Structures are given as structure tokens and as C-alpha cells.
Amino acid sequence: MSTAAAPLQEPFAPSRSRDHRPSFARLTQVELRKMVDTRAGFWLLAAVLAITVLTVVITVVQGDAESHRFANVLQNGVQPLSILLPIVGILLVTSEWSQRTALITFALVPQRSRMLIAKIAASVVLTVIALVAAIVLSALGTALSAPGVDGTWSLGAGLLGQIALYTLTSMLIGVGFGALLLNSAPAIVLSFVVPIAVSAVTSIINALDGVGGWIDQGRTLGDLVLHNYSGAEWARAWVTLAIWMVLPLIVGAYRFTRGEIR
């Protein structure tokens, strides 16, 4: 009697369509969704929109016709973005640690550097969306107020670029603080307290007044929305950004990619 040989089965091979790492675009999309998934993120973004609308309304209602020009309205309209968007950036970067999801996130995406870059990309995308919204609201407010003065819609490309840079760097400074501390509460507090303290100390102590002209964010970056910078002003602005944005991002990137998961 003969025994039928069982057919050889090929070893199991996982489907490539199901076993691949998420694309960078997918990671960025996920990080964008994280900004509105939590109640804190949702209401913070809602507050950004509401305060921007309120700022535009107050600007076009108060003052004379000269102050109702598009450039003036936009200069005021982006101020809420520069204050509140950095908090959104901090919450985004610290979410894995503050919500205790770091182990799950980094198990799904072991390359932490990809996650950090996706978070930075998401923060840039959100900033662009918020800036476009501020421009639209400012244009609408200017059109409704109809100041009818010379230069009502005048806004040079250089100044518009500076306004965009001012808004974007404000967000990235918040992202840097979040990556540096990896804890939302102290990062939010210190992102407000430390610049104010530096500004106060350099203003009060005469010997530090010259140093303040290079490291005080209010003095070196605040006028980006007001007029086109000269060479000396750009030099001070880049030094300030190197201290407050680039350095925290570099140290924060090391901590984010090498830090212990708890």
C-alpha cells in the first residue's frame, strides 16, 4: 500500500500591501489630525480663529481711515497666531509623553526622527492655513470698512514674506520648546516666562541693553510685521532665531529621538 505524499506548502509571506511603513505624507496627516482630536487642541484652534476675527473687527471699527488699510489690519490680525499657535505646537510635540502613548507610537514608527519631522511639517502646514485665514479675514474686514485712502490695498511682497516668517517662526519656537522639555505644562509656561524675563532684565539693566538688542524677541522680531528690515535688523533677527528656535530644535531633536520612554 502506498501513502500519498502531502503537497509542500510555501512558507507564509506577508502581503506587501499590508506590511509597509507609513509614508511621510500619511504621518503628517496623522499629526495634523492630532491637533484637533483632543478637546484642548480643538478649543485652542477655535480660540485662535475667534480672537483673530475679533482682532480684525476691532481694528476696522476703531481709529481713523488710515488705520483701516489692509496692511494695518493684517499686522494686527496675525498677532493672535503668533501667541496661540506656539501652544498648539507644544501640545503636538509633547503629546506622546503627556498622554503616555510614546510606547505605542514608536512601536508603530520606530524611527523617531520621522515622527519629529512629520510633527514639524504638520505645524508648518497648520501655520500656512492659519495665515491664509488671517489674510482672508483681513481682506474682508478692509473691504467692509472701505477706508478709501491711498494705499488701501498696498502690501509689498517683502513685507508679506516677513509677516509669514514672523508667524512661522513663532510656531517653530513653540515646537522647539516642546521638543526640548517633552512636557506640555512647563514648556507652555517657560515659552512665555523666559522671553518676558529676558526682555525685562535687558531693559532694566543698562549694561545688558546692547545684548538685549540681539536676543530680545520683542525687539528683534516684533517689527517684522511693520516694515521691511534692513541688513542690521536681519542680523539681529537671525541671531535671535538661532538662540530661541534653532538651538531648542537641535537639542529637542536629540531628546526626542534618544530620550527614554516611560
Side-chain angles (χ1 to χ4, degrees), residues 6-244:
L8 295 177
Q9 295 183 353
E10 295 183 0
F12 173 74
S15 172
R16 291 187 177 181
S17 62
R18 294 181 300 166
D19 186 18
H20 67 279
R21 70 178 188 175
S23 65
F24 180 74
R26 177 63 175 170
L27 290 178
T28 304
Q29 182 183 0
V30 170
E31 295 303 322
L32 280 169
R33 194 175 65 181
K34 285 182 182 179
M35 294 180 180
V36 295
D37 272 353
T38 62
R39 282 179 292 181
F42 173 81
W43 288 111
L44 189 55
L45 291 176
V48 171
L49 178 60
I51 296 175
T52 302
V53 172
L54 182 62
T55 303
V56 170
V57 170
I58 293 175
T59 303
V60 299
V61 169
Q62 299 293 323
D64 54 15
E66 290 289 335
S67 63
H68 297 168
R69 292 179 299 177
F70 176 62
N72 298 78
V73 178
L74 181 59
Q75 288 161 5
N76 292 335
V78 297
Q79 295 305 322
L81 309 185
S82 66
I83 296 173
L84 296 178
L85 284 184
I87 301 178
V88 180
I90 290 173
L91 294 176
L92 177 65
V93 178
T94 60
S95 59
E96 276 72 28
W97 277 265
S98 61
Q99 298 178 20
R100 308 266 183 196
T101 59
L103 185 59
I104 298 174
T105 300
F106 297 139
L108 295 173
V109 186
Q111 293 179 316
R112 300 192 202 177
S113 58
R114 294 186 73 228
M115 288 298 305
L116 180 59
I117 296 173
K119 289 177 183 292
I120 294 174
S123 67
V124 171
V125 172
L126 178 66
T127 303
V128 172
I129 294 173
L131 180 60
V132 171
I135 292 174
V136 172
L137 291 171
S138 299
L140 182 60
T142 303
L144 293 176
S145 64
V149 296
D150 292 338
T152 295
W153 296 99
S154 176
L155 180 64
L159 185 56
L160 179 60
Q162 289 185 188
I163 292 174
L165 180 66
Y166 174 75
T167 309
L168 179 59
T169 53
S170 298
M171 168 65 98
L172 292 180
I173 288 173
V175 171
F177 268 87
L180 182 64
L181 298 174
L182 296 179
N183 193 314
S184 57
I188 292 172
V189 172
L190 291 178
S191 68
F192 285 100
V193 172
V194 176
I196 293 174
V198 169
S199 179
V201 170
T202 54
S203 299
I204 294 173
I205 303 177
N206 294 330
L208 297 178
D209 184 67
V211 177
W214 292 86
I215 66 173
D216 184 359
Q217 294 184 44
R219 294 165 64 178
T220 60
L221 303 178
D223 290 342
L224 275 171
V225 301
L226 299 179
H227 61 83
N228 291 314
Y229 266 23
S230 64
E233 289 175 311
W234 275 119
R236 294 186 177 90
W238 290 125
V239 170
T240 302
L241 290 175
I243 295 172
W244 293 100

